[in-house]
Every structure is written in C-alpha cells, then in structure tokens.
Amino acid sequence: MTDWFHWLNLAGVAVCAISGTLMAYQKKMDGFGVVVLASVTAIGGGTLRDIMLDLPVFWIKDTDYLYTTLGAALLTIAWLRISPRFPYHYLLVADAFGLALFNVVGMEKALINDAPMSVAIAMGTITGVFGGLLRDVICREVPLVLNGELYAITCITGGLSYAALLYAGFDQHYCPWFALLVTVLMRLAAMRWHWQLPVFKNE
Amino acid sequence: MTDWFHWLNLAGVAVCAISGTLMAYQKKMDGFGVVVLASVTAIGGGTLRDIMLDLPVFWIKDTDYLYTTLGAALLTIAWLRISPRFPYHYLLVADAFGLALFNVVGMEKALINDAPMSVAIAMGTITGVFGGLLRDVICREVPLVLNGELYAITCITGGLSYAALLYAGFDQHYCPWFALLVTVLMRLAAMRWHWQLPVFKNE
Amino acid sequence: MTDWFHWLNLAGVAVCAISGTLMAYQKKMDGFGVVVLASVTAIGGGTLRDIMLDLPVFWIKDTDYLYTTLGAALLTIAWLRISPRFPYHYLLVADAFGLALFNVVGMEKALINDAPMSVAIAMGTITGVFGGLLRDVICREVPLVLNGELYAITCITGGLSYAALLYAGFDQHYCPWFALLVTVLMRLAAMRWHWQLPVFKNE
C-alpha cells in the first residue's frame, strides 16, 4: 500500500501546485511569486502536520515532492502562455481527489505515530485544508476553507467514516480506501449541489 | 499546582474558542469556518510555543483541549441561534484572564525546559497573543495585537514581574500567581482607561 | 568562519528588525505592534527553517538575537522620533546584504544536517524571504516577495551558484562566500535596473 500512497500523494501535491499557480495567474503575479505560492499550497498542509507530530518533514526526506511541485508549476505556466483557457472544471474534480488523499494520508501518519483518533481526524483535516488556507491568506482572499462548500467538514466526515469502520472491526487495510471514497464523493456532491452548512441565522 | 493549571488552561482555551466563534459570526461565515477559526484562536499560540521549544504539542498529548474547543464553539453557536445578543463585556473580562493564563503557562513551560528568562518572556507573550493574531490575519483584519490597548506589552510586563520576583529570592511557587495577577490587572486597567503606548509621533 | 557568520547573522537580524519597525511606522501602529512586527520580520524565516530541519530554534539557544532585535527596533523608534526622514536608500542596500546572508546561513545549516542540495536551496530561500512575507501578510499588504523585483529568485540563484561551485570541486569553505556575493550583486542589480520576471502574458 505504501507505494500506491506515495504515487497518489505525489498526484495530490501536483494538483495543489497547479491550483496555487492558477491563483498567482489570476492575481497577475510576476517573478517567482508563482513558485512560492505553488509550493505553499502543495506542501504547506503536510509540513504543518509533520512538524506538529514531530516527524521529519516529508519533502525534506524525499526530494520527489519538491521536483513534482516545481514541475507542475512550470507545466501550468507553459500551458497558460500557450492558451489562456484552462480546464478549471477538471481541476476541481482533481482537487477533490487531492483533498481526500491528503486527508487520508494525514490520518494514517497520525495513527501510525500513536495519536488518538480525534487527533488523527484533526491532522487529516489540517493536511487537507491548510495549504489552501495559506494560499488564500497570502493572496488576501477570505479563505475558501472558511465559507466555501463544506471544505473542512468533508475532511472531518471522511475521518469519522474511517473511525467508524475501524471500530466496527474491519481490517485496517480497508479503512483508508473507504475514507478516501467517502471524502471524494462528499466533496463532489457538495460542489455539484452547492451544499452549505449555515450555522448562524443571518437574516 | 499542576492540576489547577490544567483546569485554568482549559478555561483559557474555552474563552479563546468563544472569541474565535464570535469573529466567525461577525464575518457571517458559513459551514465549518467557525470551527477552524475557533481552533486556531484557542490552540494556535500554544501550538507554536510547543513546536519552538521542541516539546510534544499539548493538544496531541491530551485530547481534552480539542473537545473543550469544539464544545465551546458549539455552545456559542447554540447561544447565538437563540439570542443575537451576546454578553461581550463579560467576554472581554474572561479574555483578560485567558491572556494572563496563557502568558504564565507559556513562561512556566519554557523555564521548566531550561530556557533563559528573556526567551521565557517571549514564549509567554507568543502563547498569549499568537492565537488572536492568526484569527485576525485569517479574517483579514489588522490584528488587534498590533494597535489595540497594550495587548502584547501586558504579557511582557507580566513576564518581567515574574522575573523580578524570582530574582528577588521569592519561592518559585508564588511567581506564576503573582505574574497572573499583574497581567490580569494591567489588561483590565488598559481596557478600562483605554491606555495607549504611542511610540511614534504621528501628527 | 563560525564567528564571522555569527556576527553577520546578527547584522542581518538587525536590518530586518529595522525594516519591520519602518513598516509599523508607515501603518501608524501604536503600542507594542512595533516589537511584534520587528521580531516577526527578523527571526521568522530562521525560526521556520530550524523547525522544519528539527534543530533547536536559533534564538532560543542564543539570546543575542532577541536583544539585537529589540535594540534595533528601539534605536529605529528613537531615530524616527527625532527625525521623520529615514535613509531608506541605505536600508535597501543593507537589506540586500541581509537577504544574501540569511540565504547562505540557511543553506549551510541544511547541508550540515545532511539535507540534499535541492532541499538546502529551498531552506536558504525560506530563511531569506519568509520573515518579510509574514510582515506583509500581517500588515495586509500583497507580499513584496510575490511580485517585487526578483526577491525569491535571487535567493535561488545564489543557492544554485553555491551548488555549481561545490560540484565543480572547489573547497567547501569558499562556496558560501561566493554564493553571498552572487546573491548580493544580483539583488542590487535587480533593484538598480528594476529587473522583472514576467512569467505570464498579461496583456
């Protein structure tokens, strides 16, 4: 499973790097702001997770992640120079997979290091949403995480489904895949039908 | 003293979670932005302190803090759905206690881990103000810490009073309580009489 | 070389503290926002580097850095109270030296701890630009790093020149000085002739 996860993780990093590059494009950034923003979005969440769990930061151990980030940013720049139209719709679908994957990877890492389940769910959510949060804060946007279609709650639901399956006695090998599926489907559904969670009555 | 500190620390976390939730309410956030903002405000400062001191992050070891944060946020949401009026005045007084407590807890943790006194004062200040700083940055406010009534200098004064008492030869058990008292009183006085510290002449 | 680096590092910290204080002055901050902003700018980049490399944070081990930051901030405040005019031009030149120095120190620290070269270059860049990035985010400016005259790419070029010299077989003692020179000269040239790196075609 480790190999699968490594490749899927790299795919998640690439998707997030593309989304950071697109934000830099919208903000008409020059110079190297693109690479800074792509890196922050792609590896920010996982970096915070590893620091908080006191593990070696994942992109320091394995330089594949740095090269993937740079490569994805450069390819996106090349694409945008050739054609101003970008398939945003496919990106959103890919982004849902990236979110789900970061979520599950974050949980797995926390559980392997003996964190309690509630902490593991928090770690999955942080891994999934923190990169995008940083991207938006740096660009002076109100973070998408905070009022966009169930971004964070999708991660938490995925985490809870993992916990439910585990406590129900299923083999631990199936739990991440089930949580991955739940997170992806819920994210896609939230985007498709514009689910909201209005916690305050704002008349 | 450890038990007292644990309970007071939980109270500080709860107060900060409430203040984060109120900010989310003012900004009319939907979905789970509330919980993200409450968590950042409540545990952000302590998390940074533990990471910089290379200690286990406090809420990973002890899940009470996560549950307290969530509970305080949910109760505040429930309150706001019933009544749009919120006792902001009492919250500010509670917030002064939260600030003082985080300040002293931060100093104690640094000193126990053999940090020099100047570093301990910096750690107390970081624990006290960083959560609120993150809250304001995420919400695109100019942070309250930076130009509001002596927020950070209150922490530093509390820290200096701790150092003064210790060097004057008092028993180390009294120092935190004295620093707690100094910080609370100074914060309340700064709010009551709108103390300012104009460092620049801005005619 | 260690002693030289220590003094140069302190000088870099002082320059960044001054730049943070000047930003607080422009934003008409009161109270202790000045010291918060000066500290974040001066020690933010190095703190993040040490946390990610899992090393003791540099200003916790050696209190010289805290005192230098405070001293530089207070001297700048005193200057600004006497004379509203500040020699910004000299500051920019000093800032170029600070950037170069942080860059090289960050690389050295990463290489000593057995990081691969690509990670070391990333660490140098983070050390150089992260403090200024935080300063701008807190003050709600679009970070200078993201669209100002080749800030980040200067660091990366300096890092690449270090790597080139090392792989060309030169003695490791000369590499940091050469990288320092390349970074300073490139930064000064970028400021002098307003170099830009337009990655997108924004007609």
Side-chain angles (χ1 to χ4, degrees):
Chain A
M1 199 177 74
T2 317
D3 263 3
W4 269 83
F5 255 67
H6 179 67
W7 290 108
L8 286 171
N9 207 349
L10 280 176
V13 165
V15 168
C16 289
I18 293 171
S19 109
T21 310
L22 289 174
M23 174 67 92
Y25 177 64
Q26 281 186 328
K27 294 274 163 181
K28 297 189 183 306
M29 280 179 189
D30 250 5
F32 227 56
V34 185
V35 170
V36 171
L37 211 58
S39 312
V40 160
T41 313
I43 62 183
T47 304
L48 182 62
R49 175 202 61 215
D50 290 346
I51 288 172
M52 292 203 298
L53 290 173
D54 207 10
L55 301 172
V57 176
F58 69 104
W59 56 269
I60 292 182
K61 281 202 315 185
D62 181 347
T63 51
D64 284 3
Y65 293 102
L66 271 188
Y67 292 127
T68 304
T69 304
L70 279 178
L74 293 176
L75 283 177
T76 312
I77 291 171
W79 179 293
L80 289 169
R81 290 182 74 95
I82 294 166
S83 151
R85 292 184 52 219
F86 195 87
Y88 286 99
H89 188 71
Y90 295 110
L91 182 72
L92 279 176
V93 176
D95 184 61
F97 278 90
L99 179 76
L101 199 85
F102 277 7
N103 187 22
V104 173
V105 169
M107 283 194 72
E108 284 282 295
K109 262 210 161 175
L111 289 174
I112 287 169
N113 289 277
D114 298 322
M117 184 53 84
S118 59
V119 169
I121 294 176
M123 283 297 165
T125 307
I126 288 166
T127 315
V129 306
F130 191 73
L133 185 74
L134 279 182
R135 178 197 62 205
D136 294 348
V137 165
I138 291 175
C139 290
R140 298 170 73 202
E141 297 287 318
V142 169
L144 194 65
V145 173
L146 297 186
N147 46 12
E149 296 144 348
L150 305 187
Y151 221 85
I153 212 174
T154 300
C155 287
I156 294 173
T157 308
L160 289 175
S161 73
Y162 188 117
L165 220 64
L166 191 66
Y167 292 143
F170 280 82
D171 189 286
Q172 192 160 1
H173 284 88
Y174 297 119
C175 299
W177 300 104
F178 181 67
L180 200 66
L181 197 70
V182 169
T183 315
V184 167
L185 291 181
M186 184 164 169
R187 179 84 193 108
L188 291 176
M191 287 193 297
R192 176 66 186 80
W193 290 290
H194 300 285
W195 285 352
Q196 299 272 328
L197 181 73
V199 291
F200 299 124
K201 285 185 292 187
N202 294 316
E203 303 88 22
Chain B
M1 200 177 73
T2 316
D3 264 2
W4 268 84
F5 255 67
H6 179 66
W7 290 108
L8 287 171
N9 207 348
L10 280 175
V13 165
V15 168
C16 288
I18 292 173
S19 109
T21 309
L22 289 174
M23 174 66 93
Y25 177 64
Q26 282 185 330
K27 293 274 164 182
K28 297 188 185 302
M29 281 178 189
D30 250 4
F32 228 55
V34 185
V35 170
V36 171
L37 211 58
S39 311
V40 161
T41 313
I43 62 182
T47 303
L48 181 63
R49 175 203 60 214
D50 290 346
I51 288 172
M52 291 203 298
L53 291 173
D54 206 9
L55 302 172
V57 175
F58 68 105
W59 57 269
I60 292 180
K61 281 201 316 183
D62 181 348
T63 52
D64 285 2
Y65 293 103
L66 271 189
Y67 293 127
T68 304
T69 304
L70 279 179
L74 293 177
L75 283 178
T76 311
I77 290 172
W79 178 293
L80 289 169
R81 289 181 75 95
I82 295 166
S83 151
R85 292 184 52 217
F86 195 87
Y88 286 98
H89 188 71
Y90 295 110
L91 182 72
L92 279 177
V93 176
D95 184 61
F97 277 90
L99 179 76
L101 200 86
F102 277 8
N103 187 21
V104 173
V105 169
M107 284 194 72
E108 285 282 295
K109 262 209 162 174
L111 289 174
I112 287 170
N113 289 278
D114 299 321
M117 184 52 83
S118 59
V119 169
I121 294 175
M123 284 297 165
T125 306
I126 288 166
T127 314
V129 307
F130 190 73
L133 185 73
L134 279 182
R135 179 196 62 205
D136 294 349
V137 165
I138 291 175
C139 290
R140 299 170 71 204
E141 298 286 319
V142 169
L144 193 66
V145 173
L146 297 185
N147 45 12
E149 297 144 348
L150 305 187
Y151 221 86
I153 213 175
T154 300
C155 287
I156 295 174
T157 309
L160 290 175
S161 72
Y162 187 117
L165 219 64
L166 192 66
Y167 292 142
F170 280 82
D171 190 287
Q172 193 159 1
H173 284 87
Y174 297 119
C175 300
W177 300 103
F178 181 67
L180 200 66
L181 196 71
V182 168
T183 316
V184 167
L185 291 181
M186 184 163 168
R187 179 83 193 109
L188 291 177
M191 287 193 296
R192 176 67 186 78
W193 290 290
H194 299 285
W195 285 352
Q196 299 271 330
L197 182 72
V199 291
F200 298 123
K201 284 185 294 186
N202 294 318
E203 302 88 23
Chain C
M1 200 178 72
T2 315
D3 263 2
W4 268 84
F5 255 67
H6 180 65
W7 289 109
L8 286 170
N9 207 347
L10 281 176
V13 165
V15 169
C16 288
I18 292 171
S19 109
T21 310
L22 288 174
M23 174 66 92
Y25 177 65
Q26 282 185 329
K27 293 275 164 182
K28 297 187 185 307
M29 281 179 189
D30 250 5
F32 227 57
V34 184
V35 170
V36 171
L37 211 58
S39 310
V40 161
T41 313
I43 63 182
T47 303
L48 181 63
R49 175 202 60 214
D50 290 346
I51 288 174
M52 290 202 300
L53 291 173
D54 206 10
L55 301 172
V57 176
F58 69 105
W59 56 269
I60 292 181
K61 280 202 317 183
D62 181 347
T63 51
D64 284 3
Y65 293 102
L66 271 189
Y67 293 127
T68 304
T69 304
L70 279 179
L74 293 176
L75 282 178
T76 312
I77 291 170
W79 179 293
L80 289 169
R81 290 182 75 94
I82 294 166
S83 151
R85 292 183 52 217
F86 194 88
Y88 288 98
H89 188 71
Y90 294 110
L91 182 72
L92 280 176
V93 176
D95 184 62
F97 278 90
L99 179 76
L101 199 87
F102 278 8
N103 188 21
V104 173
V105 169
M107 285 194 72
E108 285 282 295
K109 263 209 160 175
L111 289 174
I112 287 170
N113 289 278
D114 298 321
M117 185 51 85
S118 59
V119 169
I121 294 175
M123 285 296 164
T125 307
I126 288 166
T127 315
V129 306
F130 190 74
L133 185 73
L134 279 182
R135 178 196 61 206
D136 293 349
V137 166
I138 290 176
C139 290
R140 300 170 70 204
E141 298 285 318
V142 170
L144 193 65
V145 173
L146 298 186
N147 46 12
E149 295 145 350
L150 304 188
Y151 221 86
I153 213 175
T154 301
C155 287
I156 294 173
T157 309
L160 290 174
S161 72
Y162 187 117
L165 219 63
L166 192 65
Y167 293 141
F170 280 82
D171 189 286
Q172 192 159 2
H173 284 88
Y174 296 119
C175 299
W177 300 104
F178 181 66
L180 200 66
L181 197 70
V182 169
T183 315
V184 166
L185 291 181
M186 184 165 169
R187 178 84 193 109
L188 291 177
M191 287 193 296
R192 175 67 186 79
W193 290 290
H194 300 283
W195 285 353
Q196 299 270 330
L197 181 72
V199 290
F200 299 123
K201 284 185 292 185
N202 295 317
E203 303 89 21

